[in-house]
Amino acid sequence: MAFSSSLAFPFPSPPSGTFQTRSAGRLRTGATERFLERSSPPPDVVVTRERGKNAKLIAALEKHNIQSLELPLIKHVDGPDTDRLPEVLSNDKFDWIAITSPEAAAVFLRGWKAAGSPKVRVAVVGAGTARVFDEVSQSDDQSLEVAFSPSKAMGKVLASELPRVSESTCKVLYPASAKASREIQEGLSDRGFHVTRLNTYTTVPVEDIEPLTLKLAISAPVVAVASPSALKAWLKLVSKVDCWNNYIACIGETTGSAAKKLGLKSIYYPTTPGLEGDVEHWELVLSSYMVQPLITA
C-alpha cells in the first residue's frame, strides 16, 4: 500500500512532551465519556466519523497503545430526493446502480426495499461499501447483485471503468450525497451513459460539542477525517485557534486533496485506500504506520 504526505516520512520529531505512549489501564473502545471524567493525558488521535462508526478504528489504535478521543464532526440526514428513490426504482429500469459509500449503500437499501426489492445490478466503490450489501446479495432471492468494483476505490475510476452491458444507451442510477461533486455523473455521461442522479442524503455538522471535549481534541497531535465535509467541520471548529497546524490523517486521496486545497500542510493519506479499497484495512495501517511513528518519534 502506498501513502502520500506533504511531509517526509518519518515525520519530524514533535515538540518535547507533545506525544506520550500510554501505559496499561487505558480507555475502553468508544468510552469517550469515561475518558473525559478521568484525569488522563491529552489524546493521541481524534477520530471523527459519525457516531457509531468509530469503534473499529478506536480498537485498532488501542492495539498499538494509542489513546483516542471520539468526536463525531458530521451526521447524515435525508436529502431532497430521499422520498423519490422508491418511486424511481419502481417505475424505471437501470443497467447499473452506482454506489460510492457505505452511507449511500444504506440509504439505497432502505429505498430499494420500500420499492419492493426490484432486480438491480450494483457497482460499488470499495470493499467497505460492498459489505453493506452482503446480507442481501448472498440471500436466496438474488434480486440484488453486486457486480462491479473499480480497480481503485475512487469515484472517478468507477466512472472510467464501469462496463457497458448493452450496445444501446446504458442507464445508471446514481444515489448520492447532495454534497458530492459531479465527477461521477459527468465521467459516465462523457462515455455515453445516461445518468439519473438522486441526492438521497446529505451531511450536516454536529453542533452540540462540549467545550471540554473540543479543548481535548484541539490538543491532540493527530485528527483523522473520513470526508471533505468532516474536514471542513473541523476547520470551522478550530478557526478561532491561532496557528493550529497539527497532523491531519485523511481516509483517502479525495479527502487528502481537499485538505491541500484548504491550505493544510501536515497531511497524510493512502494513495490506494486499502486492499481492494478496504477502508477497515486502511484503518489498521493508519494505526500501525502513521500514528505510532508520530507518538514514538
Side-chain angles (χ1 to χ4, degrees):
M1 175 178 296
F3 286 82
S4 177
S5 174
S6 58
L7 303 172
F9 186 82
F11 292 100
S13 297
S16 176
T18 300
F19 307 119
Q20 301 180 40
T21 53
R22 308 300 181 194
S23 59
R26 301 169 12 77
L27 172 69
R28 303 304 301 169
T29 300
T32 302
E33 292 80 5
R34 276 177 284 162
F35 172 78
L36 294 175
E37 291 171 358
R38 294 169 52 185
S39 55
S40 300
D44 299 311
V45 58
V46 180
V47 292
T48 63
R49 298 181 78 179
E50 306 89 276
R51 189 165 301 281
K53 296 184 179 181
N54 291 297
K56 290 183 179 180
L57 177 54
I58 292 173
L61 294 170
E62 276 198 322
K63 291 178 182 179
H64 298 274
N65 205 34
I66 297 169
Q67 186 82 53
S68 300
L69 173 67
E70 183 178 31
L71 178 68
L73 292 177
I74 61 171
K75 58 184 178 181
H76 291 123
V77 297
D78 286 350
D81 298 325
T82 303
D83 294 337
R84 286 187 56 207
L85 178 60
E87 179 184 355
V88 171
L89 286 170
S90 297
N91 295 334
D92 208 345
K93 300 290 184 182
F94 296 93
D95 297 288
W96 289 104
I97 312 294
I99 305 292
T100 61
S101 72
E103 184 64 23
V107 174
F108 172 77
L109 277 178
R110 291 195 294 270
W112 175 74
K113 291 176 181 178
S117 304
K119 189 173 182 61
V120 292
R121 181 189 293 113
V122 178
V124 299
V125 173
T129 300
R131 275 197 297 276
V132 178
F133 294 106
D134 279 352
E135 182 177 350
V136 173
S137 62
Q138 294 172 10
S139 68
D140 293 336
D141 185 9
Q142 298 296 310
S143 56
L144 186 151
E145 177 189 9
V146 177
F148 177 76
S149 183
S151 60
K152 188 174 182 180
M154 297 181 68
K156 65 181 179 182
V157 181
L158 180 143
S160 67
E161 294 181 351
L162 187 69
R164 303 181 68 87
V165 294
S166 67
E167 294 183 2
S168 59
T169 301
C170 281
K171 298 175 66 175
V172 178
L173 177 63
Y174 174 37
S177 165
K179 294 185 177 180
S181 72
R182 295 177 57 85
E183 184 176 60
I184 290 177
Q185 64 201 87
E186 291 179 353
L188 289 172
S189 296
D190 288 346
R191 293 180 55 211
F193 288 82
H194 183 274
V195 182
T196 299
R197 172 171 174 164
L198 295 180
N199 293 321
T200 55
Y201 72 100
T202 190
T203 57
V204 296
V206 173
E207 302 289 350
D208 53 342
I209 296 176
E210 293 291 335
L212 176 57
T213 305
L214 180 57
K215 182 178 179 180
L216 285 169
I218 290 173
S219 73
V222 180
V223 176
V225 292
S227 68
S229 294
L231 179 63
K232 291 175 182 177
W234 173 253
L235 291 179
K236 183 178 179 180
L237 286 176
V238 300
S239 61
K240 296 181 181 180
V241 178
D242 290 336
C243 300
W244 187 91
N245 60 356
N246 292 353
Y247 298 110
I248 291 283
C250 300
I251 201 168
E253 185 175 342
T254 299
T255 306
S257 298
K260 290 180 180 179
K261 290 178 181 178
L262 290 168
L264 294 169
K265 303 298 181 184
S266 304
I267 307 163
Y268 198 90
Y269 63 91
T271 54
T272 35
L275 297 176
E276 299 180 355
D278 190 338
V279 169
E280 291 179 7
H281 179 82
W282 172 80
E283 291 173 345
L284 295 174
V285 173
L286 164 68
S287 65
S288 57
Y289 293 107
M290 198 287 288
V291 180
Q292 189 67 29
L294 289 181
I295 296 173
T296 58

